[in-house]
Amino acid sequence: MRGRQDGKDRRLFGRRLVTIHGEVHIPGRPTTVCIIRDLSVGGARLEFHSRPWLPYSFRLTAPGAGLDVVCEVRHDRMSGVGVEFVEPAQDAPKPLAKTLDLDAMRQKLRVQRSFWN
């Protein structure tokens, strides 16, 4: 997320500009398609053709990228919806859940970042 007063990037993890087709799953509602426009270990920015109603927490999948996580909305702007990855989805396949060990990925990035600074 970007700080408004000082303009510094406060993200804990680097992000990559991507174009990945994703799906938002909300219990009791039809699946909503989205495009993941930037992605980091800690979260993503999602774009929608028409802005849907989103709850605070929902499931985001991107089968082509092997992504299946529970997200929380962090900001909702004209440029897209910023989400933070909270945890792998409960019913994610076991190999996927293992690869999405978010705490381990975050720790690895911290170590890499401290090495280069």
Side-chain angles (χ1 to χ4, degrees):
M1 296 193 294
R2 187 170 288 283
R4 291 184 183 205
Q5 285 92 14
D6 58 11
K8 292 183 180 176
D9 194 354
R10 297 181 298 166
R11 281 182 186 80
L12 293 176
F13 316 105
R15 64 178 168 176
R16 291 183 179 248
L17 297 178
V18 295
T19 302
I20 300 172
H21 294 278
E23 298 176 344
V24 171
H25 303 273
I26 302 167
R29 292 186 170 254
T31 298
T32 303
V33 295
C34 67
I35 297 176
I36 301 170
R37 288 294 183 188
D38 68 45
L39 181 65
S40 74
V41 172
R45 181 172 52 91
L46 312 177
E47 287 183 358
F48 298 91
H49 177 66
S50 60
R51 189 63 60 94
W53 171 84
L54 292 174
Y56 176 70
S57 180
F58 59 88
R59 181 176 176 182
L60 174 66
T61 62
L67 184 68
D68 190 348
V69 292
V70 175
C71 300
E72 292 180 353
V73 174
R74 291 295 174 236
H75 64 79
D76 188 349
R77 300 188 180 122
M78 293 299 293
S79 63
V81 177
V83 297
E84 180 179 359
F85 300 150
V86 180
E87 61 188 36
Q90 291 291 339
D91 57 347
K94 292 298 179 198
L96 179 61
K98 188 174 183 179
T99 62
L100 287 175
D101 183 353
L102 298 178
D103 291 331
M105 287 191 287
R106 288 175 178 147
Q107 181 61 34
K108 183 177 178 181
L109 281 173
R110 282 189 193 107
V111 169
Q112 289 174 349
R113 176 181 272 180
S114 64
F115 175 78
W116 292 107
N117 288 337

PDB file of all heavy atoms in Angstrom, residues 100-117:
ATOM      1  N   LEU A 100       1.663 -22.601  -0.990  1.00  0.00           N
ATOM      2  CA  LEU A 100       1.221 -21.281  -0.559  1.00  0.00           C
ATOM      3  C   LEU A 100       1.428 -21.085   0.935  1.00  0.00           C
ATOM      4  O   LEU A 100       0.596 -20.515   1.612  1.00  0.00           O
ATOM      5  CB  LEU A 100      -0.253 -21.068  -0.913  1.00  0.00           C
ATOM      6  CG  LEU A 100      -0.518 -20.851  -2.388  1.00  0.00           C
ATOM      7  CD1 LEU A 100      -2.014 -20.780  -2.642  1.00  0.00           C
ATOM      8  CD2 LEU A 100       0.161 -19.602  -2.888  1.00  0.00           C
ATOM      9  N   ASP A 101       2.529 -21.566   1.446  1.00  0.00           N
ATOM     10  CA  ASP A 101       2.875 -21.327   2.836  1.00  0.00           C
ATOM     11  C   ASP A 101       3.292 -19.862   2.922  1.00  0.00           C
ATOM     12  O   ASP A 101       4.460 -19.508   2.749  1.00  0.00           O
ATOM     13  CB  ASP A 101       4.000 -22.261   3.273  1.00  0.00           C
ATOM     14  CG  ASP A 101       4.347 -22.103   4.743  1.00  0.00           C
ATOM     15  OD1 ASP A 101       3.803 -21.184   5.391  1.00  0.00           O
ATOM     16  OD2 ASP A 101       5.170 -22.891   5.227  1.00  0.00           O
ATOM     17  N   LEU A 102       2.314 -18.994   3.161  1.00  0.00           N
ATOM     18  CA  LEU A 102       2.547 -17.552   3.082  1.00  0.00           C
ATOM     19  C   LEU A 102       3.597 -17.078   4.072  1.00  0.00           C
ATOM     20  O   LEU A 102       4.429 -16.236   3.739  1.00  0.00           O
ATOM     21  CB  LEU A 102       1.233 -16.801   3.295  1.00  0.00           C
ATOM     22  CG  LEU A 102       0.153 -17.070   2.249  1.00  0.00           C
ATOM     23  CD1 LEU A 102      -1.116 -16.322   2.596  1.00  0.00           C
ATOM     24  CD2 LEU A 102       0.625 -16.709   0.865  1.00  0.00           C
ATOM     25  N   ASP A 103       3.578 -17.615   5.273  1.00  0.00           N
ATOM     26  CA  ASP A 103       4.568 -17.189   6.265  1.00  0.00           C
ATOM     27  C   ASP A 103       5.985 -17.526   5.803  1.00  0.00           C
ATOM     28  O   ASP A 103       6.898 -16.721   5.944  1.00  0.00           O
ATOM     29  CB  ASP A 103       4.292 -17.832   7.626  1.00  0.00           C
ATOM     30  CG  ASP A 103       3.027 -17.285   8.259  1.00  0.00           C
ATOM     31  OD1 ASP A 103       2.693 -16.111   7.982  1.00  0.00           O
ATOM     32  OD2 ASP A 103       2.373 -18.025   9.010  1.00  0.00           O
ATOM     33  N   ALA A 104       6.169 -18.708   5.236  1.00  0.00           N
ATOM     34  CA  ALA A 104       7.494 -19.100   4.759  1.00  0.00           C
ATOM     35  C   ALA A 104       7.935 -18.218   3.599  1.00  0.00           C
ATOM     36  O   ALA A 104       9.090 -17.793   3.533  1.00  0.00           O
ATOM     37  CB  ALA A 104       7.497 -20.569   4.338  1.00  0.00           C
ATOM     38  N   MET A 105       7.002 -17.913   2.674  1.00  0.00           N
ATOM     39  CA  MET A 105       7.356 -17.054   1.539  1.00  0.00           C
ATOM     40  C   MET A 105       7.708 -15.646   2.008  1.00  0.00           C
ATOM     41  O   MET A 105       8.648 -15.037   1.510  1.00  0.00           O
ATOM     42  CB  MET A 105       6.205 -17.007   0.532  1.00  0.00           C
ATOM     43  CG  MET A 105       6.064 -18.299  -0.261  1.00  0.00           C
ATOM     44  SD  MET A 105       4.938 -18.161  -1.656  1.00  0.00           S
ATOM     45  CE  MET A 105       3.360 -18.105  -0.843  1.00  0.00           C
ATOM     46  N   ARG A 106       6.955 -15.143   2.972  1.00  0.00           N
ATOM     47  CA  ARG A 106       7.234 -13.800   3.491  1.00  0.00           C
ATOM     48  C   ARG A 106       8.596 -13.757   4.162  1.00  0.00           C
ATOM     49  O   ARG A 106       9.366 -12.822   3.980  1.00  0.00           O
ATOM     50  CB  ARG A 106       6.134 -13.391   4.456  1.00  0.00           C
ATOM     51  CG  ARG A 106       4.837 -13.090   3.764  1.00  0.00           C
ATOM     52  CD  ARG A 106       3.735 -12.803   4.734  1.00  0.00           C
ATOM     53  NE  ARG A 106       2.533 -12.466   4.000  1.00  0.00           N
ATOM     54  CZ  ARG A 106       1.313 -12.744   4.399  1.00  0.00           C
ATOM     55  NH1 ARG A 106       1.120 -13.353   5.554  1.00  0.00           N
ATOM     56  NH2 ARG A 106       0.284 -12.401   3.674  1.00  0.00           N
ATOM     57  N   GLN A 107       8.918 -14.790   4.951  1.00  0.00           N
ATOM     58  CA  GLN A 107      10.213 -14.844   5.623  1.00  0.00           C
ATOM     59  C   GLN A 107      11.343 -14.907   4.606  1.00  0.00           C
ATOM     60  O   GLN A 107      12.356 -14.233   4.736  1.00  0.00           O
ATOM     61  CB  GLN A 107      10.274 -16.043   6.569  1.00  0.00           C
ATOM     62  CG  GLN A 107      11.570 -16.156   7.326  1.00  0.00           C
ATOM     63  CD  GLN A 107      11.836 -14.947   8.203  1.00  0.00           C
ATOM     64  OE1 GLN A 107      10.942 -14.332   8.748  1.00  0.00           O
ATOM     65  NE2 GLN A 107      13.102 -14.570   8.335  1.00  0.00           N
ATOM     66  N   LYS A 108      11.165 -15.702   3.557  1.00  0.00           N
ATOM     67  CA  LYS A 108      12.182 -15.825   2.520  1.00  0.00           C
ATOM     68  C   LYS A 108      12.427 -14.479   1.845  1.00  0.00           C
ATOM     69  O   LYS A 108      13.571 -14.090   1.608  1.00  0.00           O
ATOM     70  CB  LYS A 108      11.743 -16.859   1.486  1.00  0.00           C
ATOM     71  CG  LYS A 108      12.768 -17.115   0.414  1.00  0.00           C
ATOM     72  CD  LYS A 108      12.289 -18.203  -0.523  1.00  0.00           C
ATOM     73  CE  LYS A 108      13.294 -18.439  -1.627  1.00  0.00           C
ATOM     74  NZ  LYS A 108      12.863 -19.466  -2.567  1.00  0.00           N
ATOM     75  N   LEU A 109      11.357 -13.744   1.571  1.00  0.00           N
ATOM     76  CA  LEU A 109      11.519 -12.425   0.943  1.00  0.00           C
ATOM     77  C   LEU A 109      12.211 -11.441   1.880  1.00  0.00           C
ATOM     78  O   LEU A 109      13.001 -10.622   1.444  1.00  0.00           O
ATOM     79  CB  LEU A 109      10.168 -11.869   0.501  1.00  0.00           C
ATOM     80  CG  LEU A 109       9.647 -12.452  -0.802  1.00  0.00           C
ATOM     81  CD1 LEU A 109       8.242 -11.964  -1.067  1.00  0.00           C
ATOM     82  CD2 LEU A 109      10.545 -12.085  -1.959  1.00  0.00           C
ATOM     83  N   ARG A 110      11.909 -11.522   3.163  1.00  0.00           N
ATOM     84  CA  ARG A 110      12.584 -10.637   4.126  1.00  0.00           C
ATOM     85  C   ARG A 110      14.085 -10.896   4.124  1.00  0.00           C
ATOM     86  O   ARG A 110      14.886  -9.987   4.145  1.00  0.00           O
ATOM     87  CB  ARG A 110      12.020 -10.847   5.526  1.00  0.00           C
ATOM     88  CG  ARG A 110      10.706 -10.188   5.752  1.00  0.00           C
ATOM     89  CD  ARG A 110      10.306 -10.249   7.224  1.00  0.00           C
ATOM     90  NE  ARG A 110       8.933  -9.879   7.358  1.00  0.00           N
ATOM     91  CZ  ARG A 110       7.939 -10.717   7.628  1.00  0.00           C
ATOM     92  NH1 ARG A 110       8.196 -12.000   7.832  1.00  0.00           N
ATOM     93  NH2 ARG A 110       6.707 -10.299   7.725  1.00  0.00           N
ATOM     94  N   VAL A 111      14.465 -12.175   4.108  1.00  0.00           N
ATOM     95  CA  VAL A 111      15.880 -12.544   4.104  1.00  0.00           C
ATOM     96  C   VAL A 111      16.539 -12.046   2.820  1.00  0.00           C
ATOM     97  O   VAL A 111      17.613 -11.450   2.850  1.00  0.00           O
ATOM     98  CB  VAL A 111      16.054 -14.072   4.264  1.00  0.00           C
ATOM     99  CG1 VAL A 111      17.479 -14.491   4.006  1.00  0.00           C
ATOM    100  CG2 VAL A 111      15.607 -14.507   5.648  1.00  0.00           C
ATOM    101  N   GLN A 112      15.894 -12.265   1.672  1.00  0.00           N
ATOM    102  CA  GLN A 112      16.449 -11.809   0.393  1.00  0.00           C
ATOM    103  C   GLN A 112      16.579 -10.294   0.375  1.00  0.00           C
ATOM    104  O   GLN A 112      17.574  -9.767  -0.077  1.00  0.00           O
ATOM    105  CB  GLN A 112      15.571 -12.281  -0.759  1.00  0.00           C
ATOM    106  CG  GLN A 112      15.646 -13.757  -1.007  1.00  0.00           C
ATOM    107  CD  GLN A 112      14.666 -14.203  -2.056  1.00  0.00           C
ATOM    108  OE1 GLN A 112      13.781 -13.472  -2.472  1.00  0.00           O
ATOM    109  NE2 GLN A 112      14.813 -15.458  -2.485  1.00  0.00           N
ATOM    110  N   ARG A 113      15.567  -9.594   0.870  1.00  0.00           N
ATOM    111  CA  ARG A 113      15.592  -8.139   0.887  1.00  0.00           C
ATOM    112  C   ARG A 113      16.729  -7.633   1.763  1.00  0.00           C
ATOM    113  O   ARG A 113      17.472  -6.736   1.387  1.00  0.00           O
ATOM    114  CB  ARG A 113      14.259  -7.578   1.390  1.00  0.00           C
ATOM    115  CG  ARG A 113      14.289  -6.064   1.500  1.00  0.00           C
ATOM    116  CD  ARG A 113      12.994  -5.545   2.022  1.00  0.00           C
ATOM    117  NE  ARG A 113      12.109  -5.337   0.900  1.00  0.00           N
ATOM    118  CZ  ARG A 113      10.900  -4.889   0.998  1.00  0.00           C
ATOM    119  NH1 ARG A 113      10.393  -4.624   2.168  1.00  0.00           N
ATOM    120  NH2 ARG A 113      10.160  -4.702  -0.062  1.00  0.00           N
ATOM    121  N   SER A 114      16.924  -8.233   2.942  1.00  0.00           N
ATOM    122  CA  SER A 114      17.990  -7.780   3.838  1.00  0.00           C
ATOM    123  C   SER A 114      19.361  -8.087   3.240  1.00  0.00           C
ATOM    124  O   SER A 114      20.322  -7.359   3.474  1.00  0.00           O
ATOM    125  CB  SER A 114      17.850  -8.411   5.212  1.00  0.00           C
ATOM    126  OG  SER A 114      18.023  -9.809   5.139  1.00  0.00           O
ATOM    127  N   PHE A 115      19.469  -9.158   2.448  1.00  0.00           N
ATOM    128  CA  PHE A 115      20.735  -9.492   1.816  1.00  0.00           C
ATOM    129  C   PHE A 115      21.152  -8.406   0.812  1.00  0.00           C
ATOM    130  O   PHE A 115      22.307  -8.040   0.721  1.00  0.00           O
ATOM    131  CB  PHE A 115      20.627 -10.844   1.099  1.00  0.00           C
ATOM    132  CG  PHE A 115      21.854 -11.204   0.319  1.00  0.00           C
ATOM    133  CD1 PHE A 115      22.974 -11.694   0.977  1.00  0.00           C
ATOM    134  CD2 PHE A 115      21.903 -11.057  -1.051  1.00  0.00           C
ATOM    135  CE1 PHE A 115      24.125 -12.041   0.255  1.00  0.00           C
ATOM    136  CE2 PHE A 115      23.026 -11.400  -1.781  1.00  0.00           C
ATOM    137  CZ  PHE A 115      24.148 -11.891  -1.118  1.00  0.00           C
ATOM    138  N   TRP A 116      20.193  -7.889   0.043  1.00  0.00           N
ATOM    139  CA  TRP A 116      20.497  -6.917  -1.011  1.00  0.00           C
ATOM    140  C   TRP A 116      20.571  -5.491  -0.507  1.00  0.00           C
ATOM    141  O   TRP A 116      21.036  -4.613  -1.217  1.00  0.00           O
ATOM    142  CB  TRP A 116      19.483  -7.019  -2.144  1.00  0.00           C
ATOM    143  CG  TRP A 116      19.631  -8.305  -2.864  1.00  0.00           C
ATOM    144  CD1 TRP A 116      18.786  -9.377  -2.797  1.00  0.00           C
ATOM    145  CD2 TRP A 116      20.694  -8.698  -3.740  1.00  0.00           C
ATOM    146  NE1 TRP A 116      19.254 -10.397  -3.577  1.00  0.00           N
ATOM    147  CE2 TRP A 116      20.426 -10.007  -4.161  1.00  0.00           C
ATOM    148  CE3 TRP A 116      21.849  -8.076  -4.196  1.00  0.00           C
ATOM    149  CZ2 TRP A 116      21.252 -10.692  -5.027  1.00  0.00           C
ATOM    150  CZ3 TRP A 116      22.659  -8.778  -5.065  1.00  0.00           C
ATOM    151  CH2 TRP A 116      22.373 -10.064  -5.465  1.00  0.00           C
ATOM    152  N   ASN A 117      20.112  -5.218   0.684  1.00  0.00           N
ATOM    153  CA  ASN A 117      20.152  -3.830   1.216  1.00  0.00           C
ATOM    154  C   ASN A 117      21.419  -3.539   1.949  1.00  0.00           C
ATOM    155  O   ASN A 117      22.159  -4.207   2.411  1.00  0.00           O
ATOM    156  CB  ASN A 117      18.955  -3.570   2.124  1.00  0.00           C
ATOM    157  CG  ASN A 117      17.694  -3.469   1.310  1.00  0.00           C
ATOM    158  OD1 ASN A 117      17.721  -3.169   0.114  1.00  0.00           O
ATOM    159  ND2 ASN A 117      16.582  -3.745   1.941  1.00  0.00           N
TER     160      ASN A 117
END
